C-alpha cells in the first residue's frame, strides 16, 4: 500500500528560538517569505501525499490558523500577482485534507507520532520533522516507493563524521549491502556518545513507517528524561521486519537552531532571481 498521509510533529515549545516562539510557533518562522511549515507541506504534497496530520499543541493556535483556508486572502494574493503562493495555499483544505491532533505534553517524538494514530489509521504513513527542510520531494518519494514495494518501513540515513553522531539516532546495518545502500537496519541507538556509537550512519528527519509502529510505540518505556523515543520503536519494529535505510542525496537545511534557520533564509533568498542580485551586492558590501 502506498503512503498518502504525512504526519508533521509540531507541538514542541521551540525554546531555542525564545523569545519569539512565546508568540509565534517555530514552524511558522519565515524561510525568507514562506513559513517552514508550508515548505514541509509542499514537500509532502510533491511526494503524492493528500492528507496532512499536524500534531500540534493547544498553546500554538497559530498553526491551526495557518492551515485554515482563507479564500479572501488567496484572492488578494492573486490580485497582487502572487499566483504561486496562492495556488499552494489553495490546495490546503481542498485537494489536500488537513487533520489536527494534539500532543498535550512534550513527551518525545515517539509520543508525538503515537498521537497521530487515530487519524492515520491502519496504513503506512510519511513522517516529516519540520526542523529539517529539503530542496525537493525526491527523497520522500523514494522512501514512499520503497515502503510500497517492500511493505517495510523506510528511513533516511546519512554518513557523518563521528564527532557529529551524538546529536542523532545512529544505526547498525546488516553486512553485505552495496556502499550506496539500501541497508537493512539491525540496531538503533538514540544520541549515543561518540565512543559508543555503532556506526557513522545517522537517522535524519524523513521516515515512511508501516502502521505496526503504533503497536511498538504503545510498548515504549520512557527514557530517564520522561521521553518516549521513536528510535526504540524503530528498533523493536526492525527485529520483526527489517527497516530499510536509504542514504540521502537531497539538499537539506537544519532549521532547529537560529544559525541554521538564517542559513536557510539566505539560501531561499539567493535562489530567488528577483532578489538574488541585490542580496549578493549587499552581502559583498557587508563582508568587505
Ligand atoms: C530526532 C530523532 C533522532 C534523529 C533526529 C533527526 O531527534 O529522535 O533519532 O536522528 O530527530 O533530526 P531530535 O532532533 O528531535 O532530538
Amino acid at each position: 500500500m502506498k503512503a498518502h498521509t504525512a504526519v508533521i510533529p509540531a507541538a514542541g515549545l521551540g525554546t531555542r528560538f525564545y523569545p519569539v516562539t512565546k508568540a509565534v510557533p517555530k514552524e511558522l518562522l519565515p524561510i525568507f517569505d514562506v513559513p517552514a511549515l508550508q515548505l514541509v507541506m509542499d514537500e509532502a504534497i510533491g511526494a503524492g501525499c493528500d492528507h496532512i496530520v499536524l500534531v500540534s499543541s493547544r498553546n500554538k493556535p497559530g498553526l491551526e490558523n495557518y492551515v485554515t483556508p482563507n479564500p479572501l486572502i488567496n484572492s488578494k494574493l492573486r490580485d497582487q500577482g502572487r499566483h504561486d503562493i496562492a495556488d499552494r495555499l489553495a490546495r490546503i483544505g481542498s485537494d489536500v485534507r488537513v487533520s489536527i491532533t494534539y500532543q498535550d505534553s512534550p513527551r518525545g517524538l515517539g509520543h508525538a507520532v503515537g498521537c497521530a494514530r487515530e487519524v492515520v489509521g491502519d496504513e503506512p504513513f510519511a513522517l516529516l520533522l519540520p526542523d529539517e527542510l529539503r530542496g525537493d520531494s525526491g527523497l520522500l518519494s523514494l522512501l514512499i516507493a520503497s515502503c510500497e514495494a517492500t511493505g517495510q518501513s523506510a528511513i533516511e540515513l546519512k554518513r557523518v563524521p563521528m564527532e557529529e553522531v551524538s546529536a542523532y539516532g545512529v544505526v547498525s546495518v546488516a553486512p553485505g549491502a552495496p556502499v550506496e545502500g539500501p541497508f537493512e537496519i539491525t540496531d538503533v541507538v538514540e544520541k549515543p556518545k561518540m565512543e559508543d556509537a555503532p556506526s557513522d550512519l545517522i537517522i535524519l528527519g524523513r521516515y515512511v513507517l508501516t502502521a505496526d509502529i503504533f503497536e511498538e510505540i504503545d510498548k515504549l518505556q520512557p527514557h530517564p528524561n520522561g521521553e518516549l523515543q521513536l528510535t526504540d520503536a524503530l528498533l523493536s519494529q526492525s527485529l520483526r521486519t527489517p527497516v530499510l535505510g536509504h542514504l540521502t542525496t537531497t539538499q537539506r537545511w537544519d532549521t532547529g537552531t537560529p544559525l541554521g534557520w538564517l542559513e536557510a533564509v539566505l539560501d531561499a533568498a539567493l535562489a530567488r532571481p528577483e532578489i538574488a542580485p541585490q542580496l549578493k551586492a549587499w552581502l559583498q558590501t557587508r563582508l568587505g
Side-chain angles (χ1 to χ4, degrees):
M1 188 190 264
K2 188 169 181 182
H4 72 103
T5 294
V7 174
I8 303 178
L13 300 173
T15 44
R16 273 184 257 185
F17 286 87
Y18 259 40
V20 71
T21 42
K22 283 184 76 180
V24 180
K26 180 178 62 168
E27 298 75 14
L28 294 184
L29 293 180
I31 306 302
F32 186 47
D33 60 357
V34 178
L37 176 64
Q38 181 67 47
L39 299 175
V40 175
M41 291 195 295
D42 290 345
E43 181 191 340
I45 295 165
C49 296
D50 62 3
H51 180 204
I52 286 170
V53 178
L54 208 50
V55 182
S56 185
S57 153
R58 287 180 212 278
N59 297 323
K60 295 170 84 173
L63 290 177
E64 208 163 325
N65 293 344
Y66 189 82
V67 295
T68 303
N70 187 334
L72 195 66
I73 289 196
N74 280 10
S75 86
K76 284 210 159 93
L77 287 171
R78 288 188 198 287
D79 292 346
Q80 294 169 5
R82 299 185 63 198
H83 296 287
D84 172 57
I85 193 67
D87 289 346
R88 286 153 74 189
L89 289 173
R91 288 187 306 215
I92 308 297
S94 55
D95 309 348
V96 179
R97 183 160 68 95
V98 179
S99 307
I100 299 187
T101 176
Y102 294 98
Q103 183 187 19
D104 288 322
S105 53
R107 293 183 52 210
L109 183 57
H111 181 250
V113 174
C115 292
R117 182 178 195 157
E118 255 174 57
V119 271
V120 169
D122 190 20
E123 43 182 68
F125 62 97
L127 171 66
L128 295 91
L129 308 190
D131 269 0
E132 297 182 28
L133 301 177
R134 297 295 188 276
D136 57 50
S137 302
L139 184 264
L140 191 63
S141 300
L142 181 131
L143 297 182
I144 289 176
S146 166
C147 181
E148 186 184 15
T150 62
Q152 294 161 242
S153 290
I155 65 172
E156 175 188 23
L157 297 177
K158 188 180 177 198
R159 275 192 204 285
V160 292
M162 287 307 284
E163 301 73 56
E164 293 177 23
V165 293
S166 32
Y168 299 94
V170 185
V171 302
S172 300
V173 297
V179 274
E180 71 279 12
F183 304 98
E184 276 194 8
I185 286 161
T186 55
D187 194 12
V188 193
V189 193
E190 181 68 9
K191 303 192 175 79
K193 287 191 195 140
M194 183 171 92
E195 53 276 22
D196 300 333
S199 77
D200 61 349
L201 280 170
I202 60 162
I203 303 178
L204 288 176
R206 300 295 182 263
Y207 310 66
V208 175
L209 302 170
T210 53
D212 57 342
I213 196 76
F214 292 121
E215 291 158 38
E216 304 303 342
I217 288 173
D218 280 348
K219 292 184 226 154
L220 286 178
Q221 293 298 318
H223 277 226
N225 64 3
E227 292 193 352
L228 302 178
Q229 300 293 356
L230 182 65
T231 35
D232 292 343
L234 271 176
L235 176 59
S236 319
Q237 189 184 46
S238 69
L239 298 176
R240 294 204 302 194
T241 317
V243 170
L244 293 177
H246 295 265
L247 284 180
T248 188
T249 50
T250 308
Q251 199 175 357
R252 166 180 180 269
W253 291 267
D254 181 349
T255 55
T257 63
L259 180 60
W261 167 79
L262 185 60
E263 288 168 3
V265 171
L266 285 172
D267 273 342
L270 288 169
R272 292 270 287 271
E274 75 281 21
I275 303 291
Q278 276 167 279
L279 177 58
K280 276 184 194 161
W282 182 80
L283 283 171
Q284 271 154 5
T285 318
R286 296 302 277 182
L287 299 174

